[in-house]
Amino acid sequence: MSLETLWQQSWQEFYEAALQELPGFVQQRLQNPPTVADHDEAMFDIRVTLLTWPIEGLNDYVDALDGWIAQWNLQDPASHEADTSVWPHDIPVPPPEPEGIWEAVLQRATDPGFTGFVAAGVLKLMAMARVAGRYTSQ
């Protein structure tokens, strides 16, 4: 088996483990993203949405997750431009998940429209952090 094949399998397992953290309805929300014409405007709308939720510690945690994600290069196992120097076990330790955040955001994921989609996206990021925490603790 080639190095690239092992690398692809490793990243595929990582993303599958993250998806398994998510309830089925959250996975469905992520499969149907809203259409956006302007990426910057959508990012602004996401931030505004997060700021309106009265979930203590959420915005600081999302900022910490954004900083954590920026430290490593998201790898796409389906890419033909594999960077085989970066493996899931190389991911930096994620920021600790504040108590109660998952449950509060999960409740928001039941909201209709854009709000529910934003919550689903935050949960996916949190799921990746949870899985990365297991990889980095090995």
Side-chain angles (χ1 to χ4, degrees):
M1 188 176 293
S2 74
L3 177 65
E4 188 169 323
T5 300
L6 287 171
W7 176 89
Q8 288 173 330
Q9 287 177 345
S10 181
W11 278 104
Q12 188 64 39
E13 289 170 7
F14 174 84
Y15 287 116
E16 286 174 5
L19 284 177
Q20 288 174 5
E21 292 279 324
L22 301 173
F25 81 94
V26 173
Q27 291 181 35
Q28 287 177 326
R29 297 295 304 256
L30 292 169
Q31 290 175 358
N32 299 307
T35 329
V36 292
D38 182 332
H39 175 76
D40 291 336
E41 186 176 318
M43 295 306 294
F44 177 79
D45 290 346
I46 288 169
R47 275 300 184 185
V48 168
T49 299
L50 292 173
L51 287 169
T52 63
W53 296 348
I55 302 172
E56 188 171 334
L58 174 65
N59 286 290
D60 289 339
Y61 182 55
V62 169
D63 287 344
L65 287 174
D66 284 345
W68 168 71
I69 280 282
Q71 293 177 37
W72 57 283
N73 190 7
L74 280 173
Q75 298 295 311
D76 179 358
S79 172
H80 296 296
E81 299 175 14
D83 179 359
T84 56
S85 69
V86 180
W87 293 72
H89 65 270
D90 296 327
I91 298 172
V93 175
E97 182 180 306
E99 189 173 327
I101 296 278
W102 179 272
E103 294 79 10
V105 176
L106 186 61
Q107 184 63 39
R108 290 288 176 167
T110 63
D111 291 351
F114 188 73
T115 300
F117 180 77
V118 169
V122 170
L123 289 167
K124 181 179 179 184
L125 187 57
M126 292 175 69
M128 288 193 315
R130 285 179 168 188
V131 172
R134 290 195 296 267
Y135 272 74
T136 57
S137 68
Q138 295 176 356

